[in-house]
Amino acid sequence: MGELIKDGLRIDGRKPDELRPIKIEAGVLYRADGSAYVEWGGNKVLAAVYGPRELLPKHMQDPTKAVVNARYNMASFSVEDRKRPGPDRRSIEISKVTSEALESVIFTELFPRAVIDINIEILDAEAGTRCAGITAAAVALADAGIPMRDIPAACAAGKVDGQVVLDLRKEEDQEGEADLPIAIAPRTEEILLLQMDGHLTYKEFEEALELAIKGSKYVSKLQKEALRRKYKKVEEE
Ligand code: ADP
């Protein structure tokens, strides 16, 4: 304790309620139906959406709605020690919670028997990749023209050196006391995902949740700006 916050500032000079720098670009891939690229601190994330298209084999189909299938994958070069390629417990879990968060805003009932595939590739990982992945995937879904109630946005808060902070970087995630990633539907103010590592008092939890919602709302603004830039570019061409 006492190493991560000095004179009220964090190791990268951020204030407790400050996000890392975030850049979002919509429509970066030519062949995907929708795509997005997100740089979030030291994270680099690419999301690609395919569909809705017929789900095969047929016995996997749902006659009442589309199946939303998000796949979170960490590139082997995305972390310091080469990561063994392919799905592991962690990426299977993140894929599942991401699919559920995104499915809840998509009008899946419009596409019976279909599948919407969302590929999330973590090219560089520096903590907070599930939030960056959901954020990128949501922009890619909007870019693909998939009808949605809202565009989900995500952000984490946590606790380091006894203080509640926004958007943990790697050292803070590893040595901090808690990490609380969330995803929200900003318009309806629903919470679509909430996970927590570590421990917080109830009061700290409320404070962290409020901070994470504030962060997510700012991320939402950046998502909409990215989509507007994309459509402006298409109009000009
Ligand atoms: P998130 O990336 O959503 O914060 P975690 O809390 O599970 O998810 O992971 C925090 C960070 O730990 C990741 O962003 C990454 O930098 C690192 N990490 C995760 N999995 C591995 C792995 N298999 N090998 C090395 N580093 C990893």
Side-chain angles (χ1 to χ4, degrees):
M1 284 260 289
E3 290 297 307
L4 294 168
I5 297 184
K6 273 198 192 105
D7 302 327
L9 294 182
R10 297 152 70 179
I11 45 173
D12 51 12
R14 279 187 291 158
K15 295 190 204 86
D17 63 350
E18 208 176 316
L19 284 162
R20 290 174 284 181
I22 302 175
K23 273 196 279 185
I24 305 179
E25 203 183 334
V28 291
L29 300 175
Y30 184 72
R31 282 172 194 85
D33 293 318
S35 60
Y37 175 66
V38 169
E39 282 183 12
W40 184 324
N43 296 310
K44 293 193 177 74
V45 179
L46 193 58
V49 168
Y50 297 87
R53 56 185 171 184
E54 190 187 8
L55 175 54
L56 293 171
K58 273 194 154 72
H59 69 85
M60 303 281 286
Q61 294 179 353
D62 184 331
T64 66
K65 61 180 172 70
V67 170
V68 175
N69 182 16
R71 182 176 154 275
Y72 167 103
N73 182 55
M74 265 186 150
S76 51
F77 50 78
S78 68
V79 289
E80 236 131 90
D81 304 311
R82 178 181 179 276
K83 188 200 164 281
R84 198 161 166 264
D88 50 23
R89 270 179 61 120
R90 177 177 169 277
S91 60
I92 292 166
E93 180 233 51
I94 296 177
S95 298
K96 180 175 184 289
V97 294
T98 299
S99 297
E100 288 168 357
L102 296 171
E103 184 188 350
S104 66
V105 298
I106 299 172
F107 288 105
T108 52
E109 60 279 12
L110 297 177
F111 309 105
R113 303 181 195 288
V115 62
I116 298 167
D117 281 304
I118 306 157
N119 290 293
I120 299 167
E121 298 292 331
I122 309 299
L123 307 174
D124 244 327
E126 202 251 287
T129 58
R130 80 193 63 205
C131 292
I134 291 169
T135 297
V139 174
L141 283 165
D143 181 47
I146 308 263
M148 291 189 281
R149 278 173 255 280
D150 208 341
I151 301 173
C155 188
K159 183 182 170 189
V160 298
D161 280 358
Q163 170 142 17
V164 171
V165 298
L166 185 63
D167 186 26
L168 276 61
R169 59 177 285 132
K170 188 139 186 280
E171 295 81 352
E172 295 175 327
D173 180 68
Q174 282 173 340
E175 294 158 44
E177 290 102 80
D179 184 22
L180 178 94
I182 67 160
I184 63 164
R187 197 174 54 80
T188 62
E189 298 208 320
E190 277 172 289
I191 292 173
L192 308 177
L193 171 137
L194 188 150
Q195 298 183 298
M196 190 173 110
D197 275 330
H199 45 90
L200 295 171
T201 65
Y202 180 61
K203 194 163 166 291
E204 287 167 342
F205 171 78
E206 281 190 319
E207 202 185 320
L209 181 59
E210 199 172 311
L211 202 51
I213 290 174
K214 224 174 97 189
S216 302
K217 285 188 174 164
Y218 182 74
V219 169
S220 165
K221 226 177 75 186
L222 300 180
Q223 287 174 308
K224 285 175 188 149
E225 282 170 16
L227 286 162
R228 260 184 236 117
R229 274 198 307 275
K230 155 84 195 284
Y231 288 114
K232 201 157 160 249
K233 213 165 104 191
V234 171
E235 250 171 49
E236 281 165 6
E237 279 166 9

